[in-house]
Amino acid sequence: MRLPVQRAIEVCSVEVAVSVLGGTWKLTLVKHLLGGTLRFGELCRLLPLANTRTLTRQLRELEEDGILIRTVYPQVPPKVEYSLSELGESLAPVVAAMDGWGAAFERSSTAR
């Protein structure tokens, strides 16, 4: 378990969720992976504003926290696929709720 998650456990469950899922692209990565397994290049195309170093770091953190599964195929060039674990799949209702809230916020802020 990553140190930030261990520290968050001492505070409260909301802090644990923020520690695991907080990050510029983590929830967006989970949202895209809810649609199925994706390769790194596919994730990069889905998130064109994200730099590869940040995506790599956040994918590694999500893997370490048990949210996703990284599968490496022994071939040249290397083939790496990312998919959600059972724990990651359990985030579907959370992501859907946040997606809905974000869309409603966007509509209300453009109406002002």
Side-chain angles (χ1 to χ4, degrees):
M1 184 180 311
R2 294 181 308 117
L3 184 59
V5 178
Q6 289 176 349
R7 288 184 179 152
I9 288 172
E10 297 172 12
V11 180
C12 76
S13 55
V14 171
E15 287 300 317
V16 173
V18 169
S19 180
V20 172
L21 299 171
T24 310
W25 304 106
K26 285 184 179 180
L27 283 169
T28 307
L29 287 166
V30 171
K31 179 183 174 182
H32 288 300
L33 289 170
L34 282 167
T37 300
L38 294 169
R39 294 179 66 181
F40 184 77
E42 293 171 312
L43 290 167
C44 287
R45 283 189 291 280
L46 290 168
L47 300 162
L49 298 178
N51 71 50
T52 57
R53 185 176 183 195
T54 300
L55 284 182
T56 299
R57 182 175 37 81
Q58 292 192 353
L59 286 164
R60 286 183 182 154
E61 289 176 6
L62 288 168
E63 179 187 17
E64 190 174 342
D65 291 335
I67 303 299
L68 61 81
I69 299 165
R70 179 177 183 262
T71 306
V72 180
Y73 296 93
Q75 64 186 48
V76 178
K79 178 181 174 183
V80 180
E81 292 182 337
Y82 296 92
S83 58
L84 291 177
S85 65
E86 190 174 322
L87 181 61
E89 292 283 346
S90 74
L91 289 167
V94 174
V95 172
M98 292 186 77
D99 192 42
W101 186 91
F105 180 82
E106 184 181 348
R107 285 190 303 275
S108 72
S109 67
T110 57
R112 292 183 207 168

